[in-house]
Amino acid sequence: STWGIKFKKIISTESTPTHFFGISTDNKVYAWGENTYNTISTSSTRAFKTPHLKLSDKYGKKVLADSRNAFILTTDGELYGVGENQYGLLGNGSTTDSKQYILIKDNVKDFAFGSSNLYILGNNNDLYMTGYHYGSSYGSPEGNFLTPTKINLEFNVSGFLIREDSVGSPILVSSSGDLYIFDYNFGYGNYGTITKLPLDIKKLYASYNGNTYYTDSKDSLYMIDSYGKSKKVMDNVENIFNSYQIMFIKLKNGDIYGLGSRENNIIEPFDMNITKPTLIPLS
């Protein structure tokens, strides 16, 4: 980049205030953009037009963020968070917002973030949660999780499946490869429950028009609506590139299809929104 920093991963928030986080090729974490909730710097709430180094003495493994919070997992397994702390999301025993990054937990293997909850997978494959917890559910007493609280499960968790937009309740992947969800999601389950999904999901993509897209183990693309009804869209999908308004689908043969809004002429030569995947003629 013109900043002299080479990035291997960059994420951005979907809604305003918009900011960006990047992990460089030397595993340092940088942030830039709007700073309304001090997710970038405590010096002021002004916007930063150039990358600002975060956790300067640490190396980053994974970063997730929305408009009001950011979370960084370091290569040595420490999970840090900053920003709003409603429901105890930052896991420090309070509901007070923080302008400084807080160490939430160590010995962390992976994490996911969404729906006012933080989901933390320990190195021993135990699952912990912080944040919103109304009523008695998941075998835990009533009250929000103000510190990382272990969730007792009948299976071992090996990882998470999350949408490419990074925000949204994750799918839990068990050590046997089965998929589970919290509450009601993808048209399955009930509040306060953990439900096994009868779906073959390899990778999740951002929702569009209330539907969620995913590829299965055979690289076929499916759309699932809010009632749990799945419909195959295409076969032989290599990758999907998506944002809030537009989705590009790249097939293994190199063809690229578009789906979504044509705002600002992003999909030429079409003169209207694309409601079903349409081949983009490339010159």
Side-chain angles (χ1 to χ4, degrees), residues 162-183:
I162 59 175
R163 295 180 178 90
E164 289 241 314
D165 56 10
S166 81
V167 176
S169 296
I171 292 176
L172 306 181
V173 182
S174 74
S175 56
S176 60
D178 293 323
L179 306 179
Y180 295 83
I181 56 168
F182 286 99
D183 299 329

Side-chain angles (χ1 to χ4, degrees), residues 54-88:
K54 307 308 304 177
L55 302 179
S56 59
D57 60 336
K58 302 289 182 179
Y59 294 96
K61 178 181 178 182
K62 180 178 180 178
V63 179
L64 294 179
D66 68 359
S67 60
R68 302 186 179 197
N69 288 93
F71 300 94
I72 299 174
L73 176 61
T74 67
T75 54
D76 58 2
E78 293 179 338
L79 179 61
Y80 292 85
V82 69
E84 278 201 342
N85 197 24
Q86 189 177 19
Y87 309 120

Side-chain angles (χ1 to χ4, degrees), residues 9 31 33 41 56 70 93 98 110 114 131 161 165 219 227 252 262:
K9 176 72 174 180
S41 174
S56 59
S98 178
D110 197 4
L161 285 178
D165 56 10
D219 295 325
Y227 299 100
K252 292 180 181 179
R262 186 190 172 271

Side-chain angles (χ1 to χ4, degrees), residues 35 38 40-45 48 52 54 82 99-101:
N35 189 42
N38 296 105
I40 299 175
S41 174
T42 61
S43 62
S44 71
T45 56
F48 285 80
H52 190 84
K54 307 308 304 177
V82 69
K99 297 180 180 181
Q100 304 283 351
Y101 274 85

Side-chain angles (χ1 to χ4, degrees), residues 12-13 36 49 103 105 135 166 185 233:
S12 65
T13 57
T36 306
K49 296 182 179 180
L103 175 61
K105 196 177 187 316
S166 81
N185 216 335
V233 179

